[in-house]
Amino acid sequence: MTIIDTSMASRYTHICASSDCGCGLTRRDMLRLGALATASVAAPLLSAGDARAQAFKGDDQPVKIGYLPITDATPLLVAHGRKMYEAEGLRAEAPRLFRSWAQIVEAFVSGQVNVIHLLTPAALWVRYGSKFPAKIVAWNHVNGSALTVAPSINSVAELGGRTVAIPFWYSIHNVLLQQILRANNLVAVTRSRDAQPAPNEVNLIVMPPAEMVSALAAGSIAGFIVADPFNAAAEIAGVGKVLRFSGDVWKNHACCVTFLAERDLVERPEWAQRVTTAIVKAQLWTRDNQTDAARLLSNSGDGRYTPHPLRTLTKVLAATDYTSYEASGVVHHKGWAQRRIDFQPYPFASYTEELVRAIRQTKVEGDTRFLEALDPKFVSGDLVDDRFVRKSLTAVGGPQVFGLPADLLRKERSEEHTSELQSHSGISY
């Protein structure tokens, strides 16, 4: 019999102070975000944002970071902790930690923060669903997520008739989970948490990541798919195990991206360039200093940027056990040669195009009519502005320092889509 240390697991329920803590999006959060699409709610926020922006001229505007306490935020926080913004001639305020995606988006729209990390599919929703003018200027990281299940579950097929938690409908986690389910002849459904799905169904619920580990330990869910370090936390606590890594389903997929308001790109292009360069340099430093990055972000680090202990963050950022996952069969694609989490800033157009196609095949709640009008190639050029990151890459030695091809072309590789879509570096964004 497996003895679960519920006292250890329960610590992760109370990482955040409020009932909608963590980084997931509750139904209440969805309503708050949905309200941003209406003129009566959005107008005051936009006016406030414009007023804040006009208070500064050019590069005088301080860097005001908004983040959630997950490894997705690593480049933004490393750049702050190592004073990389200041090295680029910028002023940086202390980063602000938020408890939900709704809070961070509201703060971004109103101008309280001006540099955030955001789920890539959520960026689609913000720009086209709520029509807020903001763009992706760089990727924050690749991979860094996993499908974690109860210790008694040994295959995806065993999730049939059970409930699995996701952090947000518009997340790569939801997209990849449903791809995994389809590959195993399982159907994603959305019902109440106490509903009993059919044997070939998997009930999906949105849950804050900070609640996922304890929910898994209590048996109220059979698994969850989310960004680290919550997967690592479940492993260390002995209440869950990784069944699949997200990067093993879609090779080197983007999860969170750096998101800037379009007004800053237009009115303060040099400021946007300096912000992007600082983040690119932070990514490069993190790749070569994984343990130091974990220490910097931990609850024992000088900045105490996250509530996570060093051991948990080290298991993610400085992973040395990936070969054991390969040996056990958790990793299916050994030839992909990936890290559990990695950092590279270039936003490949092929990924954005494929993501638009993938989200259309993904079950999400809420009004999805805006997705029907999106053309993948248009979105890859309209949602993303890669002018700044290209210059930043040149400043640090070129794409090759991140192991990227010099022509910045890539073919998407995922289990569900055998067709490989090539991005075109000649497109002007």
Side-chain angles (χ1 to χ4, degrees):
M1 184 177 80
T2 301
I3 299 176
I4 297 176
D5 183 358
T6 54
S7 62
M8 182 179 293
S10 66
R11 296 173 194 172
Y12 296 96
T13 308
H14 304 290
I15 285 177
C16 301
S18 62
S19 60
D20 60 343
C21 63
C23 315
L25 227 135
T26 63
R27 189 174 298 275
R28 181 174 60 184
D29 288 334
M30 281 293 291
L31 292 174
R32 291 169 66 183
L33 278 177
L36 291 179
T38 65
S40 61
V41 174
L45 292 176
L46 288 168
S47 297
D50 289 338
R52 290 174 187 270
Q54 291 171 6
F56 301 96
K57 294 182 179 180
D59 296 340
D60 290 340
Q61 175 173 247
V63 176
K64 298 181 289 185
I65 299 165
Y67 75 102
L68 301 180
I70 49 181
T71 51
D72 301 35
T74 296
L76 276 61
L77 300 176
V78 165
H80 180 268
R82 293 189 57 78
K83 299 189 181 301
M84 292 178 171
Y85 298 113
E86 287 81 356
E88 297 301 318
L90 299 170
R91 292 187 297 116
E93 297 181 356
R96 292 183 58 186
L97 186 153
F98 291 89
R99 303 303 187 183
S100 74
W101 291 116
Q103 292 176 3
I104 201 170
V105 169
E106 287 178 352
F108 179 65
V109 170
S110 66
Q112 297 176 50
V113 295
N114 52 26
V115 179
I116 65 170
H117 66 105
L118 189 65
L119 297 163
T120 315
L124 288 171
W125 186 92
V126 171
R127 183 164 178 85
Y128 304 111
S130 68
K131 296 181 173 56
F132 178 72
K135 293 202 175 196
I136 295 169
V137 297
W139 284 3
N140 260 32
H141 69 106
V142 295
N143 307 329
S145 299
L147 171 59
T148 296
V149 297
S152 60
I153 294 175
N154 297 304
S155 69
V156 175
E158 293 176 41
L159 293 175
R162 306 193 188 203
T163 297
V164 174
I166 60 174
F168 181 33
W169 294 115
Y170 286 96
S171 67
I172 192 63
H173 313 95
N174 187 32
V175 171
L176 293 181
L177 174 61
Q178 293 192 36
Q179 289 184 3
I180 294 170
L181 297 181
R182 285 195 294 268
N184 287 270
N185 299 313
L186 294 173
V187 179
V189 298
T190 56
R191 298 185 181 137
S192 62
R193 190 176 303 191
D194 56 355
Q196 179 58 51
N200 70 327
E201 296 177 338
V202 176
N203 190 34
L204 305 187
I205 60 170
V206 171
M207 178 181 289
E211 298 178 8
M212 290 181 177
V213 177
S214 58
L216 187 63
S220 59
I221 57 175
F224 58 77
I225 183 168
V226 76
D228 269 315
F230 296 101
N231 305 287
E235 291 179 291
I236 291 172
V239 301
K241 64 183 181 184
V242 171
L243 193 61
R244 292 295 305 275
F245 286 107
S246 60
D248 193 44
V249 182
W250 189 337
K251 184 179 180 181
N252 285 331
H253 67 81
C255 182
C256 269
V257 294
T258 301
F259 211 45
L260 300 184
E262 197 164 358
R263 62 174 172 254
D264 285 331
L265 305 184
V266 174
E267 299 173 7
R268 299 176 178 82
E270 184 58 33
W271 179 88
Q273 182 64 66
R274 294 180 183 187
V275 168
T276 305
T277 298
I279 291 171
V280 169
K281 289 181 177 179
Q283 291 178 331
L284 192 59
W285 181 88
T286 300
R287 295 183 96 226
D288 296 330
N289 300 273
Q290 300 163 16
T291 302
D292 288 339
R295 186 175 296 110
L296 186 153
L297 299 180
S298 72
N299 58 9
S300 58
D302 292 339
R304 291 178 173 79
Y305 292 109
T306 78
H308 307 296
L310 177 60
R311 180 187 177 191
T312 304
L313 290 170
T314 300
K315 185 172 178 61
V316 179
L317 293 168
T320 58
D321 53 1
Y322 202 74
T323 54
S324 66
Y325 293 111
E326 293 181 337
S328 66
V330 171
V331 174
H332 294 193
H333 302 284
K334 299 178 183 179
W336 287 6
Q338 301 186 101
R339 296 181 179 181
R340 180 164 181 157
I341 186 172
D342 206 351
F343 300 90
Q344 78 81 11
Y346 188 71
F348 288 99
S350 56
Y351 175 80
T352 305
E353 292 176 21
E354 188 64 10
L355 180 65
V356 173
R357 298 184 183 96
I359 195 71
R360 286 174 175 167
Q361 300 176 33
T362 303
K363 185 177 183 63
V364 299
E365 285 195 344
D367 188 352
T368 61
R369 288 175 294 179
F370 74 94
L371 292 174
E372 300 171 6
L374 295 182
D375 173 71
K377 188 165 289 294
F378 167 79
V379 171
S380 70
D382 182 68
L383 177 65
V384 179
D385 187 339
D386 72 348
R387 293 174 297 157
F388 308 102
V389 73
R390 284 176 176 270
K391 290 183 179 179
S392 298
L393 283 170
T394 299
V396 298
Q400 63 271 19
V401 300
F402 284 97
L404 302 176
D407 59 6
L408 293 175
L409 297 176
R410 150 169 154 165
K411 295 181 178 180
E412 298 306 311
R413 299 182 66 181
S414 67
E415 290 185 343
E416 179 159 282
H417 301 283
T418 56
S419 62
E420 298 182 333
L421 303 174
Q422 188 171 15
S423 63
H424 301 282
S425 62
I427 295 177
S428 175
Y429 299 134

